[in-house]
Amino acid sequence: MSALDTRAATTVDAADAAAGGHRGRAARRRPRAPEEGLIPGARRGGYWLYLVPGLALLAVIVVVPLLWNVYLTFTEYRGIRPPQWIGLENWTELMGDEVFWTSFGNSIAMILAMVIVPTLLGLLLAAMLFDLIGRKFGARLASFLRATYYLPQILPAVIAAIVIGWILRPKNGALNQVLEAVGLGHLAHNWLGSPDTALPSLMVIMVWVQLGYPIVIFMAALQRVDPELYEAAELDGANWFQRFRAITLGMIRPEIFVVTLTCTIAALKVFGPVYALTGGGPGTSTIVPAYYAYSEFFQSQQVGYGATIATALTVVIAVVSVLFILIQHRIEKKEEGR
């Protein structure tokens, strides 16, 4: 290369460098354009405007009634005259109320019927539908059976309770007539009208109603499990129960916590089936806190005392929810530490 060509190349490089420097300084001086897809005003906190309607509804529907309910627990109020402040009298009466403690004892039975039994059966049935029936007979049959189990969840609780009430009628109910038809008429019983069978009958009904929910959740969770895991375990000689214990339970543990928590909350605040089937009776054999609060509100017109029962139930549900979440986090941390 000649000296002339070398000087020309050097001049071009210097010009490019100078132009790049000018472009860099110009780019630094030029105002930055707003990011694409960014909502105008969002960087200045304008997104809070979109939360105002939801926060307003939350305040009107949840927060204000909750605070008013808590206030009523310290008053005597029958819904007509203004509330009269009585301090902790309602709470003192509640602590010694045998019906209140009976209602919470019945809630334990509801937890057994709506949480423990449906969750265990739901785990087994979901694993069988996914690992056995789905693989051997096809996904369509498994989906049909899943929808069949979920059908009671679609029915309104009161309608399902009325249908069950027809089946369990003492005189012309379907269950007693079937028992008589097969020669077991001596077992015919007033299932919902007898104190010794009312609560167990209600528990069986709630198992039937609640069973479909965990099955659907668990089968949806099993969709993300690699089928090769089951195939490899089967090739290694693992039977169905061993695959269920080693693969299924470990993979869907988060969903088990979700189902357990939501079903426990539903069991603590169950109302519709009790209202439609037994009305808390006979006596107090099937009364639950939600129905007891309702009866004090609207039947006895003891609004202050009913608010106390409802507030106590709210506190119990909040404590149970926090405990479930803490236990779940602790188990997850232990697994991450392994």
Side-chain angles (χ1 to χ4, degrees):
M1 182 181 293
S2 63
L4 181 61
D5 293 334
T6 302
R7 287 195 299 272
T10 303
T11 304
V12 170
D13 293 338
D16 290 339
H22 287 303
R23 286 194 298 269
R25 288 191 295 273
R28 288 193 295 269
R29 289 194 299 269
R30 187 168 57 246
R32 183 179 299 176
E35 298 178 9
E36 295 183 3
L38 189 63
I39 300 175
R43 298 183 61 189
R44 298 188 298 273
Y47 57 85
W48 283 102
L49 294 175
Y50 297 94
L51 300 180
V52 171
L55 292 175
L57 289 174
L58 178 66
V60 172
I61 298 175
V62 178
V63 177
V64 173
L66 177 61
L67 295 177
W68 175 248
N69 191 81
V70 173
Y71 165 74
L72 290 178
T73 63
F74 303 101
T75 65
E76 182 180 358
Y77 183 44
R78 301 183 68 88
I80 301 175
R81 296 180 179 179
Q84 296 181 357
W85 184 268
I86 59 173
L88 297 175
E89 290 185 14
N90 285 329
W91 290 99
T92 303
E93 181 181 355
L94 186 70
M95 293 299 101
D97 189 353
E98 293 183 1
V99 178
F100 172 74
W101 294 112
T102 300
S103 69
F104 263 102
N106 292 337
S107 290
I108 302 299
M110 289 294 104
I111 290 175
L112 176 63
M114 298 179 63
V115 183
I116 298 176
V117 175
T119 301
L120 294 177
L121 289 178
L123 277 170
L124 293 174
L125 290 173
M128 291 179 64
L129 290 175
F130 182 81
D131 189 24
L132 289 180
I133 296 177
R135 292 174 58 189
K136 293 184 178 180
F137 301 100
R140 291 186 177 181
L141 179 59
S143 299
F144 172 76
L145 294 175
R146 177 183 59 188
T148 302
Y149 284 117
Y150 193 72
L151 181 61
Q153 287 280 320
I154 301 175
L155 298 175
V158 175
I159 294 178
I162 291 174
V163 173
I164 294 297
W166 290 341
I167 296 174
L168 299 180
R169 282 180 180 177
K171 294 183 179 180
N172 56 353
L175 178 58
N176 285 340
Q177 289 186 351
V178 169
L179 291 174
E180 292 178 359
V182 297
L184 298 175
H186 62 281
L187 296 178
H189 196 73
N190 186 2
W191 301 101
L192 295 175
S194 177
D196 57 341
T197 58
L199 184 60
S201 299
L202 186 61
M203 291 172 64
V204 172
I205 295 168
M206 297 313 301
V207 170
W208 170 71
V209 171
Q210 197 71 16
L211 182 60
Y213 171 68
I215 290 177
V216 170
I217 298 297
F218 294 149
M219 287 195 69
L222 288 171
Q223 298 297 324
R224 58 183 171 82
V225 179
D226 190 354
E228 294 181 356
L229 294 176
Y230 290 103
E231 295 175 0
E234 190 173 4
L235 290 175
D236 290 339
N239 57 32
W240 178 85
F241 183 76
Q242 291 172 332
R243 297 196 302 269
F244 170 77
R245 185 181 60 183
I247 300 175
T248 303
L249 290 181
M251 296 298 293
I252 66 173
R253 184 176 290 115
E255 285 76 12
I256 295 175
F257 274 105
V258 171
V259 168
T260 305
L261 175 58
T262 53
C263 290
T264 301
I265 294 174
L268 289 173
K269 63 185 185 67
V270 64
F271 173 79
V274 176
Y275 173 81
L277 284 172
T278 64
T284 58
S285 59
T286 60
I287 196 168
V288 291
Y291 186 83
Y292 189 30
Y294 161 81
S295 65
E296 291 295 317
F297 266 113
F298 299 105
Q299 296 176 358
S300 302
Q301 294 183 346
Q302 297 290 341
V303 179
Y305 193 65
T308 307
I309 299 170
T311 303
L313 178 60
T314 303
V315 172
V316 171
I317 291 174
V319 171
V320 169
S321 301
V322 171
L323 289 177
F324 266 98
I325 294 172
L326 292 177
I327 293 171
Q328 182 179 5
H329 285 323
R330 182 172 297 180
I331 293 176
E332 290 176 353
K333 287 183 179 180
K334 287 183 179 180
E335 291 181 351
E336 292 175 358
R338 291 179 180 177

